[in-house]
Amino acid sequence: MESGPAIFAGAVFALFGAGLLMWTVARVAHGRPVAEGARPVMSATLTALVAAGALALGAWCFLRM
């Protein structure tokens, strides 16, 4: 019974992290800004860290089942 919410949360975190990471890589590869009005390297780095954190949370949720 308790594994249902863990599966849902893990899937949400994993999908969000993967999508954010793919979007960031695509923006950087095309030379487009990741965040308007921010320094390009800082915004790409911060976004990649948030994406990695979301992927780590998703993995943690899946491992807690």
Side-chain angles (χ1 to χ4, degrees):
M1 282 300 206
E2 294 178 6
S3 65
I7 293 170
F8 178 74
V12 168
F13 280 123
L15 287 173
F16 174 74
L20 184 61
L21 192 59
M22 289 187 329
W23 180 80
T24 303
V25 168
R27 296 291 286 188
V28 169
H30 289 119
R32 306 285 303 192
V34 176
E36 286 293 327
R39 292 183 293 190
V41 174
M42 182 63 81
S43 62
T45 303
L46 182 60
T47 306
L49 286 173
V50 170
L55 285 171
L57 277 172
W60 181 76
C61 288
F62 286 133
L63 291 175
R64 299 291 295 169
M65 293 189 309

